[in-house]
């Protein structure tokens, strides 16, 4: 949680989700016997929040202006300003591109198209559940729908990689071992892995000429159906 001063949590419009996240963080502190770090001062907080949200440190002028500000809601205002910036969309578009397909672009995957889809989604503040739904149910051409590149990168081996990656990234659960047997450390069963996998087995990659006839030569455009 972000604090405005010792003992006072910074509220973002008093949204219930903030209270939920704060409670979950505190529970983890208790469960793992962690003593939380001291509250960051303005200078440290300002630098960290820029690195986390936009991926770079603030300028000297920005830092001096923030430190000179006396409003009690200046941290909240700073967060909202950064989340509205294109640097936020670019930074998190890059982070999630790496998470979804790796730092090395898989063969025949349109990395730029996927990244643009993500940047546009973050810039438009698309709700997370809608963004995820677009990624795991994407259809169409790589050229016109960047979201299809996530599944295209992982549909080999009967969609097993897509099953594992989806569970890891969007459910926070490692399911690789349940491909062969019940999970030894949680409640996931082998049949649940294949139930999830059956969703991806219904998706196929097809190669055909582009709809507008712009594909050069004999090359075929890749479609997800």
């Amino acid at each position: 949680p972000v604090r405005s001063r010792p003992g006072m949590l910074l509220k973002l419009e008093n949204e219930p989700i903030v209270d939920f996240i704060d409670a979950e963080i505190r529970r983890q502190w208790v469960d793992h016997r962690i003593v939380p770090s001291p509250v960051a001062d303005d200078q440290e907080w300002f630098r960290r929040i820029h690195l986390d949200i936009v991926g770079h440190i603030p300028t000297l002028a920005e830092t001096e202006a923030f430190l000179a500000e006396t409003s009690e809601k200046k941290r909240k205002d700073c967060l909202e300003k950064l989340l509205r910036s294109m640097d936020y969309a670019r930074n998190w578009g890059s982070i999630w591109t790496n998470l979804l397909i790796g730092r090395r672009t898989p063969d025949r995957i349109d990395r730029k198209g996927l990244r643009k889809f993500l940047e546009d989604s973050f810039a438009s503040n698309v709700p997370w559940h809608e963004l995820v739904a677009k990624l795991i149910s994407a259809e169409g051409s790589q050229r016109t729908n960047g979201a299809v590149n996530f599944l295209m990168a992982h549909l080999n081996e009967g969609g097993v990689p897509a099953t594992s990656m989806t569970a890891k990234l969007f459910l926070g659960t490692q399911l690789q071992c349940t491909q062969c047997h019940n999970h030894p450390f949680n409640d996931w069963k082998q049949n649940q892995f294949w139930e999830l996998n059956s969703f991806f087995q219904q998706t196929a990659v097809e190669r055909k000429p582009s709809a507008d006839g712009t594909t050069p030569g004999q090359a075929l455009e890749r479609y997800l159906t």
Side-chain angles (χ1 to χ4, degrees):
V2 180
R3 297 176 184 269
S4 57
R5 58 178 181 270
M8 173 83 64
L9 288 178
L10 176 64
K11 296 298 185 182
L12 303 181
E13 306 300 335
N14 294 317
E15 294 183 9
I17 189 63
V18 175
D19 293 327
F20 171 78
I21 293 172
D22 287 346
E24 287 297 301
I25 292 174
R26 290 193 185 96
R27 184 172 64 82
Q28 293 297 317
W29 288 343
V30 173
D31 290 349
H32 298 283
R33 300 179 181 179
I34 296 173
V35 177
S37 301
V39 177
D41 61 28
D42 278 349
Q43 183 171 338
E44 183 180 25
W45 182 91
F46 194 62
R47 183 178 187 276
R48 286 183 178 179
I49 211 67
H50 274 74
L51 288 171
D52 287 342
I53 295 179
V54 295
H56 60 76
I57 62 174
T59 66
L60 176 60
E62 290 171 334
T63 302
E64 290 177 338
F66 180 77
L67 295 178
E69 176 61 55
T70 58
S71 171
E72 288 194 357
K73 65 186 187 75
K74 68 179 184 179
R75 292 193 179 190
K76 172 180 177 294
D77 292 341
C78 171
L79 284 170
E80 292 181 343
K81 178 181 178 181
L82 292 177
L83 290 172
R84 289 193 300 267
S85 71
M86 282 306 301
D87 281 350
Y88 157 69
R90 282 190 289 265
N91 182 44
W92 283 90
S94 176
I95 289 171
W96 272 97
T97 298
N98 291 336
L99 289 172
L100 291 170
I101 61 173
R103 293 184 179 275
R104 292 186 178 181
T105 307
D107 189 32
R108 297 183 297 276
I109 296 302
D110 184 357
R111 187 182 197 89
K112 290 183 179 179
L114 175 60
R115 181 165 177 171
K116 184 178 187 306
F117 162 77
L118 292 167
E119 289 183 0
D120 290 346
S121 297
F122 288 125
S124 302
N125 198 25
V126 173
W128 185 241
H129 68 286
E130 293 182 12
L131 191 155
V132 172
K134 290 178 180 179
L135 287 168
I136 65 175
S137 63
E139 295 182 344
S141 162
Q142 289 174 292
R143 191 167 56 84
T144 58
N145 182 8
V148 305
N149 289 281
F150 167 59
L151 286 185
M152 279 191 179
H154 303 293
L155 279 177
N156 55 308
E157 300 178 20
V160 168
T163 306
S164 298
M165 287 296 292
T166 297
K168 175 183 176 181
L169 293 173
F170 306 128
L171 299 178
T173 303
Q174 299 279 5
L175 290 186
Q176 292 89 323
C177 63
T178 56
Q179 177 185 351
C180 302
H181 51 75
N182 294 340
H183 202 293
F185 306 123
N186 61 40
D187 295 331
W188 278 82
K189 307 300 182 184
Q190 183 182 11
N191 68 297
Q192 291 177 297
F193 179 94
W194 293 107
E195 288 170 352
L196 180 59
N197 174 262
S198 67
F199 173 81
F200 298 107
Q201 288 197 29
Q202 300 175 63
T203 304
V205 179
E206 296 183 356
R207 294 171 175 81
K208 54 187 178 181
S210 60
D212 58 9
T214 59
T215 304
Q218 299 300 313
L220 298 179
E221 193 171 348
R222 289 160 59 84
Y223 287 77
L224 208 61
T225 60

